[in-house]
Amino acid sequence: MSTHAKTAAKPAKPSRVGAVANWVDERAGIATAAKKQVRKVFPDHWSFMLGEIALWSFVVLLLTGVFLSLWFKPGMGEVIYDGSYEQLRGLHMSEAYASTLEISFDVRGGLLMRQMHHWAAMLFIAAMFVHLMRVFLTGAFRKPRELNWMIGGVLLLLGILEGFAGYSLPDDLLSGTGLRIADGLVKATPIVGTYMSFFMFGGEFPGDVIVPRLYIVHVLLIPGLLLALIGAHMMLLVYQKHTQWPGPGKTEENVVGYPMLPIYAAKAGGYFFIVFGVTALLGGLVSINPVWRYGPYNPAEVTAGSQPDWYMGVAEGLLRIFPGWETEIFGVTISWNVMLPGQIFPMLILGGTLLYPFIEQWITGDKREHHLLQRPRNAPNRTAFLAAMMSLYGLLWAAGGNDILAILFNLNLNHITYFMRVAVFVIPPIVFWLTRRWCISLQRHDHEKLLHGYETGVIMRSPEGAYSERHLPISEAEAYYITAQEPEKVYELPAETDMNGVANRKARAMKLRARMSKYWFGDNVPRPTREELEAARLHAEHELAQHDPDGHQHLPAGGYTGSHELDGHPVDGHQFDGRHSVEGEELRKH
Amino acid sequence: MTDLVHDPNNPTTAGNPDAVAHPVGDPGFAEHRPRPTDVDPAAEKRAERQIATFFGLSSLMAILFCVAYFTFDIGDDPDTILGMGASNVTLGLTLGLALLFIGIGAIQWSRKLMSDTEIVEMRHALRSPDEDREEAITAFNTGVEDSGIARRPLIRNSLLGAAGTLLLPVIVALRDLGPLPGDALYHTVWKEGMRVVNDVSGSPIRPEWVRIGQLVNAEPEVFYNPEPYDSEPIEGHHLLAEKAKAALILVRMQPDDITPAEGRENWGVDGILAYSKICTHVGCPISLWEQQTHHLLCPCHQSTFDLADNGKVIFGPAARALPQLPLAVDDEGYLIATSDFTEPVGPSFWERG
């Protein structure tokens, strides 16, 4: 046999990587998806890294969790401990607690992995909280990202539940007390409380099934949900593209930043190792949840100063400061003192969080897409609301450790509790008002900077002996950044409102909306118009040009008629910087 | 650069009267400034060496991790460093540094050697184009029409019914998660004649052994010695469940200080009273005892009970007084209960009444 051609027609010799890529693409068609994503642009800002910490600590949790699951026995059968930890040897305990001790004392690297797992869980939830605050403060939840905001809210809830389930697994005295409290919360449910408790624990508390049940929830059910939702969160992020800060060259229509490959592959990939490494250092150097010191669970024992993990501190605080209200009526008991703080309030907080974008949208009537972030000062009510919520969170958190505070600061425990009962109603509104005014002041400051320049710190002394600070115009880039916020419109009532029948109710809602919208935007400082900026620039140039040989502008006393005048004296911020004369300035003489 | 261009077809600005000309005008991107590594080959070489050094150090740490793993003992007689477990500390340090060095190297690489020129990508409209929407709706309607679900209410309704009825097996199948509560919450193992014993030693208690102001954590004798009570030994999780209801606080106060409620005058023995140790709030065991004030404080949520005044709540989130156990002395002079608790102990529940 012979061929007609000496060599077969074939493409240039592919590289080995190319061959693999070709193999995959012929089967999965990855090139079409990859061509867009490989050089996908992400904007750069330190605050965009917070969610990344949450993502990477979740990966650390998966890795360390797999390690732990190789030894952990999620059983409540009673065993007598005969492991390495001398103080507990010979005690009766559950298999779960005994195997946790085994991991801590008899598996090399086991304690490290346990502590890394716990530290990563703390970091996971903390990072989600801070990421949520970032998204909230910058308005990144606005259209089209409401859906991702809600997914994020559910992720946070699931993260907290996952944390509590994992915390309960070792079946030590502290976590058992946590479960006992959970049992009390469940029992307070109207009508079905005792049934729920018996079904949960497989009989009377503590039963012998709660640890294996929580185990499967902790290692399969919730992680599965978390993975799926994190996937959806990421896919939406990729599809919608990341938000960016306003600035030169940045618009609602583009994304400015660095490409996925190589910059973010290196930065984000490297950051995974940073998060992983920090948890490893924490796990090696900083003790966390030393369950061997608490001993096995015993429902007749508890340690003074018992504290849950930090993310449960708010729920704990609510439980602690709630008054002892209970109603016995028609032969049944309603435990307001447990039901309200333990069941109703958490649901309200979750519901309010998930619905927030829609509430704000209703007030502002803003149906536009937003891809440029807002500076917190430019949304004073939103910023103030979060600040108020943070103060409430802090108060409840402190209330959750009222016994620790009492001992630490030598205070009366009852007084702390009474204080907190009042403070949670008084302090958040004060914080709201302060933050709101603060934001508006910052807006005014921005406005001044645009029209009159920034304070240079250069102090000038005039021949008359007056001191003044020189103002210089800010850079064009900064001016552009400050004025990025598009003007808002206060919602106004339609002129003609049908005031009869069903429409009446709608009119009331519209009135409420108009009032809230006025409060929302009414005090905002609108950005200066092009004409105002131009006038300010001309004004400054004019004043500088009008100087007499002595370097001053000479106006007759009371002769100033500029836009910033008081009794004929200029009060435009230039009166003492050498641009105006000082003759006849009564203010000077004092 | 001049004003932003507002494309009327773009959903972010279309139909938006506020998208007016920007007062300042976009000055455009700042000029890119080269980094030392962009212009100085020596700096570039240095950065390359730095990055390789980080990766090299990472390898070294990973090897040291393995060395530490086999070098340091854990278990009964662990090696220690500065009082801490040597194995855990060295494993954590070496693993942490091995990971950190990779991370630092990679980020250094991106910052020093990879291009730092920002690039621009345009956003695309998130919503589908109108023709796609129409096509989707048409396709959907065709499918729905074909199924006839709108025209055949019998099929539709019976299907909805079947799907709804399927919820029943789902709920019923979970029935065996646990037994029904029954009257389990209304009873404890306490009964007439049961001795009150110390919860550590299990030994019975004579009134004269308890000093005024003293608190004893007590339990029913049946946990330690079931025979006199015709009971099987209570063990494992059954013991925990019974302890969670029967645990007791025994205190002795000046008899004059005590103000018993009606019907409880003879529930104590010479100023010795017994109360449930389980908090009526959410069930924590309580034993923080203020000797001088007769107050008992729950360490979980700080509910405070006055044991001289029938266990009344005087502070905190609990709503109900601590249940009291009536006491007496048996023929041999040891403390006994004269009955079970007269009300359910522990946290409140709906049908408790």
Side-chain angles (χ1 to χ4, degrees), chain A residues 29-356:
Chain A
I30 51 162
T32 312
K35 72 175 181 191
K36 276 188 190 165
Q37 308 306 336
V38 167
R39 291 282 282 178
K40 190 173 183 65
V41 172
F42 285 94
D44 212 22
H45 190 262
W46 66 266
S47 67
F48 302 164
M49 183 192 68
L50 300 166
E52 212 183 304
I53 299 180
L55 177 69
W56 296 140
S57 47
F58 181 69
V59 177
V60 174
L61 283 168
L62 290 178
L63 294 175
T64 52
V66 168
F67 183 92
L68 295 176
S69 70
L70 301 179
W71 285 273
F72 182 66
K73 297 189 192 77
M76 294 179 88
E78 200 170 68
V79 294
I80 295 172
Y81 180 67
D82 64 347
S84 291
Y85 190 62
E86 208 175 332
Q87 279 93 320
L88 295 177
R89 225 174 274 160
L91 281 186
H92 292 247
M93 58 180 65
S94 65
E95 286 172 292
Y97 188 61
S99 65
T100 309
L101 293 178
E102 194 205 341
I103 291 172
S104 305
F105 292 106
D106 296 303
V107 176
R108 278 176 285 187
L111 178 61
L112 176 66
M113 291 296 160
R114 250 200 70 223
Q115 299 200 128
M116 280 174 73
H117 194 69
H118 206 124
W119 274 118
M122 302 269 145
L123 201 59
F124 179 50
I125 299 174
M128 281 198 286
F129 261 110
V130 184
H131 172 59
L132 175 138
M133 291 196 282
R134 190 281 289 179
V135 167
F136 189 88
L137 281 175
T138 58
F141 58 83
R142 291 175 297 169
K143 187 184 173 184
R145 294 182 179 76
E146 305 96 324
L147 200 58
N148 237 10
W149 167 264
M150 291 169 79
I151 292 175
V154 175
L155 278 171
L156 181 55
L157 171 79
L158 286 175
I160 290 172
L161 291 177
E162 174 76 343
F164 185 74
Y167 171 86
S168 302
L169 291 181
D171 201 23
D172 56 287
L173 186 57
L174 189 59
S175 75
T177 305
L179 278 178
R180 173 87 237 210
I181 294 168
D183 173 56
L185 290 186
V186 168
K187 279 192 177 133
T189 313
I191 305 173
V192 292
T194 47
Y195 293 84
M196 280 166 65
S197 164
F198 273 64
F199 286 175
M200 214 170 110
F201 292 94
E204 258 185 288
F205 175 87
D208 62 346
V209 296
I210 189 69
V211 166
R213 282 178 185 175
L214 283 177
Y215 181 70
I216 208 65
V217 166
H218 182 76
V219 303
L220 181 75
L221 189 61
I222 300 184
L225 290 171
L226 282 171
L227 265 177
L229 287 173
I230 290 174
H233 205 66
M234 297 286 102
M235 274 161 60
L236 271 173
L237 160 73
V238 168
Y239 179 65
Q240 296 176 336
K241 296 193 168 74
H242 207 285
T243 51
Q244 63 187 350
W245 283 100
K250 296 172 181 179
T251 69
E252 291 281 11
E253 288 96 44
N254 68 11
V255 195
V256 180
Y258 301 103
M260 181 70 217
L261 196 72
I263 300 291
Y264 279 99
K267 270 193 175 176
Y271 202 64
F272 164 64
F273 287 98
I274 301 269
V275 172
F276 204 168
V278 168
T279 43
L281 287 183
L282 283 169
L285 299 174
V286 190
S287 171
I288 189 165
N289 201 24
V291 287
W292 56 89
R293 280 169 48 190
Y294 308 145
Y297 182 58
N298 176 345
E301 288 172 3
V302 70
T303 314
S306 289
Q307 285 285 313
D309 268 357
W310 72 266
Y311 49 84
M312 293 304 244
V314 170
E316 175 84 359
L318 267 171
L319 265 183
R320 287 188 184 199
I321 63 170
F322 211 84
W325 295 341
E326 193 171 276
T327 310
E328 286 179 22
I329 188 168
F330 305 126
V332 298
T333 303
I334 306 167
S335 301
W336 306 109
N337 56 344
V338 182
M339 200 171 81
L340 284 176
Q343 302 181 353
I344 310 286
F345 287 173
M347 279 194 266
L348 286 180
I349 293 168
L350 178 71
T353 308
L354 294 186
L355 291 180
Y356 182 85

Side-chain angles (χ1 to χ4, degrees), chain A residues 89 112 191 194 199 204 213 239 241-242 248-249 253 255 257 299-300 302 320 326 331 333 337 368 402 483 530, chain B residues 3 10 16 22 26 28 76 88 103 119 121 123-124 126 177-178 240 245 277 285 300 302 317 348 350-351 353:
Chain A
R89 225 174 274 160
L112 176 66
I191 305 173
T194 47
F199 286 175
E204 258 185 288
R213 282 178 185 175
Y239 179 65
K241 296 193 168 74
H242 207 285
E253 288 96 44
V255 195
V302 70
R320 287 188 184 199
E326 193 171 276
T333 303
N337 56 344
R368 289 173 293 174
N402 56 1
T483 52
R530 185 175 282 269
Chain B
D3 293 349
N10 189 302
N16 170 17
H22 193 279
D26 189 345
D76 284 338
N88 190 58
I119 55 179
E121 195 175 79
R123 291 183 189 275
H124 54 84
L126 296 177
L177 275 174
L240 293 185
K245 291 188 295 184
K277 193 181 178 179
C300 287
Q302 288 80 43
S348 292
W350 174 261
E351 59 270 40

Side-chain angles (χ1 to χ4, degrees), chain B residues 11 108 118 282 310 342:
Chain B
Q108 178 81 344
E118 287 193 310
V282 282
N310 306 290
T342 54

